[in-house]
Structures are given as C-alpha cells and as structure tokens.
Amino acid sequence: AAGMFLRLLSDMQWRAAHPKWRRMTSSQRSTSTTAEPHPVSLPAQAQVVICGGGIMGTSVAYHLSKMGWKDIVLLEQGRLAAGTTRFCAGIVSTARPVSIELKMAHYSNKLYQQLEQETGVQTGYVKTGSISLAQTQDRLISLKRIASSLNVMGIPCEIISPKKVVQLHPLINIHDLVGAMYVPEDALVSSANVSLALATTASRNGVQIHERTSVSHVTVQKGRVTGVETDRGRIQCEYFVNCAGQWAYELGHSGEEPVHIPLHACEHFYILTHPLQEPLSSSLPTVVDPDGRIYIRNWQGGILSGGFEKNPKPLFTEGRNQLEIQNLQEDWDHFGPLLSALLRRMPGLEALQIMQLVNCPESFTPDMRCIMGESPTARGYFVLAGMNSAGISYGGGAGKYLAEWMVNGYPSENVWPLDLKRFGTLQSSRTFLRHRVMEVMPLMCDLKVPRWDFQTGRQLRTSPLYDRLDAQGARWMEKHGFERVKYFVPPGKDLLDLDHSKTFYKPDWFDIVGSEVKCCKEAVCVIDMSSFTKFEISSTGDQALESLQYLFSNDLDVPVGHVVHTGMLNEKGGYENDCSIARLSKRSFFMISPTDQQVHCWAWLKNRLPDDSNLTMEDVTWKYTALNLIGPRAVDVLSELSYAPMTAEHFPSLFCKEMSVGYANGIRVMSITHTGEPGFVLYIPIEYALHVYNEVMNMGQKYGIRNAGYYALRSLRIEKFFAFWGQDLDAFTTPMECGREFQVKLEKGMQFVGQEALLEQKQNGVYKRFTMFILEDHDTDMDLWPWWGEPIFRNGRYVGKTTSSAYSYTLERHVCLGFVHHFDEKTGEELVVTTDFINQGEYEIDIAGQRFQAKAKLYPFSSLFTQRRRKDEVELSGYQRE
C-alpha cells in the first residue's frame, strides 16, 4: 500500500540522517519476525527501561530526556512505530469530554506543531480543523458542553449551522443535521513519523534505543523493580515503563509479581481510497459523525474513513503475540454498515475506487479512559497504555505527565481519572475484559448523557442484601465493580420508562428521589453503603498511632470510641484520601474511605507505613455490610432494636460503639451519616447482614421507614455543601482551599505529611476557594440541568468549573459546587482568593453555552440542619464521599 511505502521511505530517510542510530541497529531489514544480529550489546544497567517503541514509549523517552534524565534504554520487540502506531489514522482531536484528556490532546497538538522544526523529521503535521456533526438535539447539547470547556481553555471552537458545514466541507450531505461543532486548530499527522521524531530527540539526548529486543519479564524484589529480563540478557534498572500497547496486559502478568493492566484489543477497520478526480485539499477539515459512527479525513487526495461499529470483534483474548502487527484479514461484510454511513454522509463518493480496507488492532479499557501511573504492587513499575483509539491525540500529553510523575513524584495535573490504581484485580479477568470492550467500542460514538452506566461485567461485587433490595425495585449503578443503589422504583411505576430515561434535562427519577430525600428529613431511610473501603490498622505498641499521626492531618490521639474525620495528604497538602477513622482501642483503628480508594489508599499506606512486624493493616471491606440509617427517627429504631438509649447525651456525635442489634452481636455503630442529617451507620459482620436489615425494616415500619439510594444521598450532601473525594477533592486540593481547616491540627505536637504546605497557605492565602452556587433564574422543568464540569463566570470572566451538582429538594433550586480562581485581568496570573473576592462578585454558570445567574456562598444554609448543634460538630458529622 502507498501508506506503507511512505512509512518505509521516511524510516529510511531518518535512519540515513543519524549515523549513531545506524551503529545501534542492524543495517539489514527483513519482513520476518526473527531477530537479527545486533552490533551493539545491551547495557548491563540503566536508570529507566521503557518497553515499547510506539507513540507512547517514544513520548515518555522524549519527555524524560527533556527533563534531564539521560540513563534511559528504550526496547522495541519489532521496529519503532511498527505496532498500532503505524496504523493510526493520525487525527489529533482536542474535543474531549474529560478535562484531563482535553488537556493532554491540547498539549499534544502544540508539541507536534513544532516537532518537525525541532527534529528535522517530517511529521506530516497539517492544521485542518475538525467538524463534529449532530443529527439530534441531544447530540448537539453534548457538543455544546464540550465547546464550553474548549472555549474557556482558550481553544478556538464554535457551534455552527448545517449551512456553515457545507461551506467548510462541500462534500458533506447536511439534510439530517441539526448543527455541528467546528474546532479550527485540530490537525492531522503521520503517527509513525511523530514517533520517529520523538525518538530522534530522545536519542540525541542520550537515550539508547534497541529494536528487535523482547522483554520477557520484569524482576521485582521487596516490592520494588530491580531489573528487566530480555531475549538478549538482563538489564538492572530502578524504573520500568510498560508502553507495550495491546501487549501491556500480557507483559504485566509475565512476572512473579503480576501488575494488572486491564485492556483488551479489538479489530478496528478503515478504508483508504484512490484520489478523487479533483483531489481533496490537504487542508480540508476532518469530519466526525458520531451518530453515523464514522470519521472521515483527507488522505493523499482521497479519503481515509473508519468507525466504531455496534458489533466489534475482540481479538487476542488468548494472548497470541506477534512482533509487528501484520495486516489482519479484510472483512467487508463487517465493514458494510460503516461504508453505508460514509456514502450517506458523502454521496459523491459512490464512484470512488477503494485502495484498501485496513484492519488493525486497537486496545480499549473498561471505562474508555487510558491507563497511566505507578503499579500499586511494584514501586518503580510505571504504565502508559490503553488509548481507546486516541493514541496520537493523547501521546504527547500522556508522555509528559508520566515523565513528570517519574521525575517529580507527581504530575502537574490531576490525573486520577486515568490512574492505574482506579482499577483492582477484579477488572483483570479476560472474560470481563472481552465482554466489556465489546460494549466500550460502540460507546465511543454512543451519546453519553449524565449518569449512564455500563451494562457488561455487572453484579461482580455485591452486598449480601443485593437480592432483597433488587426485589424491592432497586435500580443499580456500579462503582469500582461494586453494585450500589441509585434509587428505588415504587410499586406501580413504569419500570421500562425509567430504565430508558436518558436525558440532559429533568430526569424521570426526579420525583422518586425527592420522596426519598423527604423521608430522610422527616422519618428514617436505609441506604446500603457496603461498597465503602474499610481498613483495620493495629499494633502491639504505639506504632499504629504514631504512624497514623504522621500520615493524617487531624489529631487521632482521641479517646477510644471517638471518630475523627481527616485528610490523608501529600507533601503539597493535597488530598490523597478523605476518610474517617474510629479508634477501636488504644492500639487499633478502623478506617472508612471512598469506594474507589481501595487500591490507591492501600498502596499509599503500604509504601509509607514502617516495615514493622508489630504493625498490621488489613483490608476488611468484604467483612462488613454497612447500613446507613438517616433521619430523625433513626434514633428510635435503633433504641428499640438494641434496648440501649441512643440519644445525643448517651451516644454523642462522632462516636463509635460495638452493640447488639436484634440477635446479632459485634455491630459497630457510628453516629455519622455522611449527609448532615441525624442518624447512624451500622457496620455489620457480613453473616448478620440479612438479619439486621430485616429487623431494622420491621421495627421501622411504624416510623415510616423506606429504602433510599445514592441519588438521595448526593442531593442531601450537596445542599449541605459537603465535598467528596474524587470529584470535588483531589491531590491538588488542600483543606485550606475547601473550608476544612478545622479538620487539620497544625499544632498536634508532631509533624505530619503536608504540614509545611498548609502552614505556607495559612500565611500566604489560597489561590482557589471551594464555593457553593445556587442557580437563580433556572427552570428545573424546562432548562438543561447542570451535572458537573460547567464553567463558572464572575462579572463576565471565567473563574473556574463546577465539580458536582444536584437539585436541592429543600431549597427547590439547583446547587452547584466548584472552585473559584482569581486570574489577573492583564497577565492571567493566579492571585490569592479572598472572602471579599467571592462575596463581591456576580456569578453565572454556563450550561452548554447558556448562562444562568447564581448566588455564591462560602457556608451552607444553617436552617437546613435539622438539629441545632455546635458548628464544628455539624460540619464534622457531615462529610460525604461517594
């Protein structure tokens, strides 16, 4: 094919220009996959070994060498850029719904633009722009939401009419379009040449690159990478980077200490055509037609067009390997629907001659986001893989963030949505991955409205109460593989309607959740919260207390039976975790964290707790079912079941006590509800769960008890201005920035992680402030709803984004939470955010391009708290994590 010829030509030109390269690689090239003689032997040791010479491996090598690390070896089992990178369509698109992915793509675009000048290697960079088409109003809304994000980042973008589409791209059929999004700075590149350009700079900076070298496994000793075994000998190293693309899963599982990298390959098809009679201009915009499931770009006067079909074909489930990905079998029947969509969108192509149908593997992940970061089980083992067909868009930015992570210990942006530690071992089943990627690939084009859920790989981790709750109308969502209830459909409701209510507007569950919230405020509700992560940390002496005092910002030296809400901070004072810790005895602590902290928090603590046989940490998540009893009558239900007084005098706020409930003993009862409403959480040994639940429901009948779900919980916590980790709080947010100074004890008599950063903030002020917004001119029934990620404007200027939002049934208004920054009007420099700055502004929230007035508050409405308690007690008992 012509594409292959050009790839080989540029390869030869590049190698001819680099004598050093010729010395390091063999002069003979063969299409066979057998290894050739190697004139240069591998070094015996290196600081970093990178496995994989595609866009990811070369980007990591480029950025590490730019940051001053030189002792780096990059190993490629075939030839550079000969894997998925070679077949990549070369579209650099910044239109991404996830903020961190948008930033990665934007950086990549800027990097590729100047790469040719920097390296002398032609990258084929052409700024063409892109047009994303909308066939439905809902699709147009989703594009408008992305456009809002792009505009506030300074990336030119506009929503255009179908007529403007034809002006930009005359071949497009617009009869069924309602609008489109135009991003003029999107680009096209030759992916393989970009990889070669990155490798060129890396090589000049001292990186050794060895082709035809396979990594068999990585050796790990005492939880740390020590070396790499290859088919040409061993290299000792401190760091290993797995950029092996679709082979990353196999490579992760090849060592004695498996590193779970959940990705799976699918076949991906696109066609190449001969040039049109009047060849297409090289600057013609790329077209993305998500409702037609296709993309279309100019290719040498003809077109390249592929897509994401509804019935994808997973491959290599058994783990078959091959050095370079040879062209897989053509399958015209399979490509038929995508070809039909192409001809509907561009009817003028009917007579065009097709040169080739390309079939190449692409790897996809369980949640459609790429995988980066350090392994939770092997320190120094980093991963960058699973690009979900966006490798060239993310390549530059992803390589930059991973290099920063390795050199500095953390990247310059919050990359938690992409962190390997968001997954556990449970997502590594080959069956799970095969089934999930068959759902994920079509989802690349499907309309994703707020609160959508995956359908495959479900009912994996369930509470013992799952069947009981399901029979009572529970509707489920999944978090970290754990099934959690969204809400309960009352008897007589049309279940089918609710299961299919997917909208950006007022959802069909609105009244259902409203009645659950009302019950929480007036009577008593039960929410199964078993998914929360639960650790027990204990010691024979004071080791547990001393270690936790150092790792947590609040004072944990409290009387036995007390519960402390605290942050687990990093050196910059940011939240690595937000949790509550109960002191069970002088030497034993019970820690409750968010659901998706199970892997991250374990790894964080394991790496920082002293290696002491007298100190133990156990993950007891699976041992306890958690029932949250919320509402003013919770105290009555529990009193009657335990024959013990549960009023505030006998059972104060933030207290923990082992009790019997019904016939069951050893139930840990905590006076905390995660919502600010009165109530208790019961941590029940798993074998007693069904008994205790039945007893609670029976006893609660006379008090109007009902089941509730997480949507009610979200509404309650947001109207009380409670942040939760993973959405509002992250590794770049400190307690000082979100009004949680009272959860930090700067003078607790010993140092703790993050203390210096917090002292500095206390003295100098903060550069962002967590703020609550109440929408004023918003019609809940008719207007688009805010969900999260909406731009915030102060006096007409962009100041930040919302991090979460919910309808407050008490205020009868939408409430958004988010961070306000203060940018200098002339320089754009960040300035200190003061209380006056927040209070003296006029605010608007941008929902898909439409702005709504909002009132800003730094404190919750005190009238919302049903029980008058001291301010700090109220705030302490009201933290929430989802």
Side-chain angles (χ1 to χ4, degrees):
M4 176 61 75
F5 173 72
L6 284 170
R7 159 68 180 79
L8 291 173
L9 185 65
S10 67
D11 197 0
M12 286 157 57
Q13 289 167 344
W14 183 76
R15 288 162 205 280
H18 293 82
K20 178 181 176 186
W21 181 270
R22 290 206 305 276
R23 289 199 301 273
M24 289 164 54
T25 57
S26 58
S27 58
Q28 294 296 310
R29 293 288 159 195
S30 141
T31 54
S32 76
T33 56
T34 56
E36 299 167 2
H38 297 270
V40 177
S41 59
L42 293 182
Q45 61 185 62
Q47 184 184 11
V48 182
V49 173
I50 300 169
C51 174
I55 184 70
M56 294 303 146
T58 54
S59 179
V60 172
Y62 171 91
H63 286 94
L64 282 174
S65 70
K66 284 272 189 177
M67 294 180 76
W69 282 20
K70 310 293 184 190
D71 187 12
I72 299 167
V73 176
L74 187 151
L75 306 177
E76 163 55 47
Q77 64 175 347
R79 294 174 309 150
L80 273 189
T84 302
T85 300
R86 185 182 70 183
F87 289 103
C88 176
I91 299 168
V92 183
S93 164
T94 49
R96 307 284 165 184
V98 179
S99 174
I100 185 64
E101 293 180 340
L102 193 160
K103 288 174 182 174
M104 289 196 306
H106 184 45
Y107 172 83
S108 298
N109 196 340
K110 289 194 295 185
L111 173 69
Y112 303 157
Q113 198 168 349
Q114 53 86 36
L115 206 52
E116 196 166 310
Q117 190 179 351
E118 180 188 340
T119 62
V121 177
Q122 291 189 350
T123 58
Y125 183 92
V126 183
K127 193 177 284 186
T128 59
S130 72
I131 307 169
S132 298
L133 309 178
Q135 293 182 28
T136 66
Q137 286 300 332
D138 267 354
R139 176 70 69 183
L140 191 59
I141 290 165
S142 75
L143 293 178
K144 285 177 177 177
R145 288 178 65 89
I146 293 171
S148 292
S149 292
L150 288 170
N151 283 323
V152 296
M153 274 192 67
I155 301 170
C157 171
E158 59 177 315
I159 298 297
I160 59 175
S161 67
K163 280 184 184 174
K164 181 76 186 285
V165 172
V166 172
Q167 290 170 18
L168 290 165
H169 201 308
L171 294 178
I172 296 290
N173 171 14
I174 61 167
H175 79 281
D176 57 350
L177 299 184
V178 296
M181 177 176 70
Y182 177 49
V183 185
E185 293 191 353
D186 279 355
L188 294 177
V189 293
S190 159
S191 323
N193 288 10
V194 167
S195 283
L196 296 176
L198 293 167
T200 299
T201 296
S203 181
R204 284 177 190 157
N205 288 342
V207 175
Q208 294 186 51
I209 300 177
H210 294 265
E211 295 182 307
R212 304 290 186 194
T213 307
S214 295
V215 174
S216 56
H217 67 273
V218 180
T219 55
V220 176
Q221 287 176 7
K222 295 183 178 175
R224 183 149 206 118
V225 167
T226 57
V228 176
E229 296 288 350
T230 79
D231 58 353
R232 296 174 55 206
R234 175 180 166 80
I235 307 176
Q236 280 185 294
C237 63
E238 295 173 56
Y239 297 93
F240 176 75
V241 189
N242 183 339
C243 295
Q246 61 176 322
W247 313 125
Y249 177 95
E250 265 84 24
L251 182 55
H253 278 253
S254 64
E256 291 173 16
E257 277 278 344
V259 174
H260 301 286
I261 305 166
L263 52 79
H264 196 294
C266 276
E267 294 181 34
H268 179 60
F269 296 88
Y270 60 80
I271 55 164
L272 301 170
T273 76
H274 289 283
L276 276 72
Q277 262 186 332
E278 188 181 323
L280 291 179
S281 159
S282 62
S283 60
L284 206 61
T286 297
V287 174
V288 180
D289 182 2
D291 297 309
R293 318 192 74 80
I294 55 169
Y295 57 83
I296 309 159
R297 58 155 285 192
N298 160 69
W299 186 76
Q300 298 178 9
I303 64 157
L304 180 160
S305 178
F308 300 95
E309 61 274 23
K310 287 185 175 178
N311 55 332
K313 297 167 71 174
L315 77 166
F316 305 141
T317 303
E318 304 81 18
R320 275 179 309 166
N321 206 331
Q322 53 189 49
L323 290 189
E324 291 151 29
I325 301 159
Q326 308 305 328
N327 205 4
L328 299 166
Q329 294 300 304
E330 290 186 344
D331 188 339
W332 284 102
D333 289 340
H334 191 78
F335 189 72
L338 298 180
L339 185 58
S340 300
L342 170 64
L343 295 175
R344 276 197 304 275
R345 189 54 60 213
M346 288 187 172
L349 300 181
E350 289 261 357
L352 195 62
Q353 275 192 304
I354 292 172
M355 182 188 291
Q356 187 183 4
L357 174 61
V358 178
N359 176 5
C360 59
E362 286 274 9
S363 16
F364 296 86
T365 62
D367 60 1
M368 294 190 296
R369 299 198 298 267
C370 73
I371 296 172
M372 70 160 63
E374 190 174 17
S375 158
T377 53
R379 298 209 72 180
Y381 191 123
F382 284 82
V383 177
L384 186 56
M387 293 296 137
N388 299 283
S389 202
I392 196 65
S393 291
Y394 298 153
K400 171 180 180 272
Y401 290 143
L402 196 79
E404 290 172 346
W405 203 331
M406 294 172 69
V407 175
N408 302 327
Y410 47 83
S412 57
E413 294 281 350
N414 171 36
V415 295
W416 170 250
L418 315 176
D419 195 326
L420 170 64
K421 291 184 281 293
R422 74 189 187 270
F423 296 119
T425 54
L426 57 97
Q427 284 97 353
S428 273
S429 144
R430 287 310 260 174
T431 308
F432 167 83
L433 288 170
R434 183 180 175 88
H435 291 176
R436 175 57 66 86
V437 297
M438 289 174 75
E439 178 183 14
V440 157
M441 196 168 161
L443 274 170
M444 302 298 291
C445 288
D446 287 352
L447 185 69
K448 290 175 281 294
V449 298
R451 312 272 184 259
W452 61 274
D453 300 294
F454 289 107
Q455 301 304 309
T456 52
R458 296 294 297 269
Q459 298 178 34
L460 192 57
R461 301 173 75 195
T462 59
S463 152
L465 306 177
Y466 180 87
D467 288 341
R468 277 285 272 123
L469 301 178
D470 198 53
Q472 294 176 78
R475 285 292 167 271
W476 301 92
M477 59 182 177
E478 168 254 335
K479 184 81 168 239
H480 201 63
F482 217 115
E483 295 294 329
R484 316 198 307 176
V485 181
K486 295 190 275 195
Y487 50 81
F488 287 82
V489 179
K493 271 272 184 187
D494 187 342
L495 308 190
L496 205 63
D497 263 11
L498 276 164
D499 281 345
H500 292 93
S501 67
K502 295 186 166 72
T503 173
F504 289 101
Y505 290 89
K506 178 181 176 181
D508 290 352
W509 44 256
F510 179 81
D511 292 329
I512 293 174
V513 174
S515 60
E516 290 180 7
V517 167
K518 189 170 189 285
C519 187
C520 286
K521 288 181 170 294
E522 296 175 1
V524 56
C525 275
V526 180
I527 303 181
D528 183 345
M529 297 176 70
S530 304
S531 67
F532 275 20
T533 299
K534 301 174 273 289
F535 296 163
E536 281 181 13
I537 300 156
S538 54
S539 58
T540 53
D542 292 334
Q543 299 95 328
L545 176 63
E546 288 169 6
S547 301
L548 296 181
Q549 284 283 64
Y550 173 67
L551 292 172
F552 292 87
S553 59
N554 212 336
D555 188 359
L556 296 174
D557 194 3
V558 293
V560 171
H562 283 243
V563 181
V564 175
H565 181 42
T566 179
M568 181 174 86
L569 309 180
N570 54 36
E571 284 73 11
K572 296 171 77 177
Y575 279 97
E576 291 295 333
N577 186 9
D578 176 42
C579 56
S580 14
I581 299 179
R583 192 168 193 179
L584 301 178
S585 71
K586 284 280 185 194
R587 296 166 181 173
S588 177
F589 297 84
F590 184 51
M591 177 178 169
I592 321 293
S593 305
T595 304
D596 50 6
Q597 275 279 2
Q598 191 165 15
V599 177
H600 173 70
C601 181
W602 179 270
W604 181 270
L605 290 174
K606 206 74 178 157
N607 290 335
R608 286 160 181 78
L609 286 171
D611 189 10
D612 185 343
S613 58
N614 296 314
L615 178 67
T616 58
M617 178 170 70
E618 185 187 0
D619 185 344
V620 294
T621 302
W622 62 275
K623 286 188 176 181
Y624 293 95
T625 297
L627 287 184
N628 194 351
L629 268 64
I630 303 175
R633 307 316 296 263
V635 62
D636 301 307
V637 174
L638 215 49
S639 292
E640 291 199 39
L641 279 174
S642 60
Y643 289 97
M646 300 298 293
T647 53
E649 304 85 70
H650 299 94
F651 208 112
S653 180
L654 292 171
F655 198 65
C656 173
K657 190 174 171 185
E658 280 210 355
M659 300 175 59
S660 56
V661 177
Y663 297 154
N665 249 325
I667 314 267
R668 290 175 186 169
V669 179
M670 291 190 197
S671 46
I672 231 172
T673 65
H674 316 298
T675 61
E677 302 298 329
F680 306 88
V681 179
L682 280 56
Y683 289 96
I684 307 158
I686 208 156
E687 64 268 34
Y688 299 146
L690 206 52
H691 167 76
V692 172
Y693 173 78
N694 289 337
E695 291 289 298
V696 165
M697 294 305 283
N698 291 337
M699 183 61 73
Q701 291 287 308
K702 59 185 175 188
Y703 299 111
I705 199 166
R706 66 179 288 169
N707 291 299
Y710 274 80
Y711 283 10
L713 198 81
R714 179 185 285 117
S715 173
L716 290 166
R717 73 96 181 166
I718 287 177
E719 73 178 18
K720 299 287 174 54
F721 197 15
F722 299 151
F724 74 85
W725 189 89
Q727 195 157 342
D728 305 309
L729 308 178
D730 59 40
F732 288 80
T733 306
T734 74
M736 305 299 183
E737 294 163 347
C738 57
R740 292 184 170 202
E741 298 91 330
F742 61 90
Q743 292 172 9
V744 175
K745 295 294 181 283
L746 289 167
E747 313 299 333
K748 64 178 177 179
M750 69 173 292
Q751 277 195 314
F752 60 87
V753 179
Q755 186 176 22
E756 283 182 26
L758 298 187
L759 284 167
E760 195 177 314
Q761 276 195 332
K762 188 176 182 182
Q763 190 175 336
N764 300 336
V766 295
Y767 291 89
K768 62 179 179 181
R769 191 76 191 265
F770 195 49
T771 310
M772 177 183 194
F773 298 94
I774 294 92
L775 295 193
E776 305 237 285
D777 57 345
H778 184 269
D779 186 322
T780 306
D781 294 318
M782 302 303 294
D783 288 327
L784 285 168
W785 274 31
W787 296 96
W788 58 273
E790 290 84 14
I792 303 163
F793 290 86
R794 177 188 181 276
N795 298 348
R797 293 178 61 85
Y798 171 69
V799 290
K801 280 189 174 184
T802 64
T803 49
S804 54
S805 68
Y807 182 80
S808 165
Y809 294 88
T810 315
L811 299 171
E812 297 184 344
R813 289 274 187 283
H814 255 100
V815 177
C816 300
L817 308 181
F819 285 93
V820 171
H821 300 251
H822 184 183
F823 301 109
D824 184 278
E825 291 193 20
K826 289 178 183 162
T827 64
E829 181 193 353
E830 285 205 65
L831 305 173
V832 169
V833 178
T834 62
T835 304
D836 284 347
F837 179 80
I838 301 285
N839 291 335
Q840 290 168 10
E842 297 285 325
Y843 291 90
E844 293 170 304
I845 307 290
D846 178 321
I847 306 175
Q850 186 179 355
R851 294 189 190 179
F852 296 90
Q853 289 179 358
K855 184 177 175 61
K857 288 180 69 67
L858 285 169
Y859 302 99
F861 289 89
S862 54
S863 59
L864 286 179
F865 293 97
T866 51
Q867 290 186 340
R868 293 185 63 80
R869 289 176 283 183
R870 289 203 331 272
K871 177 172 173 275
D872 63 331
E873 274 193 351
V874 166
E875 289 180 339
L876 277 166
S877 67
Y879 75 92
Q880 152 58 343
R881 306 165 312 274
E882 296 198 5

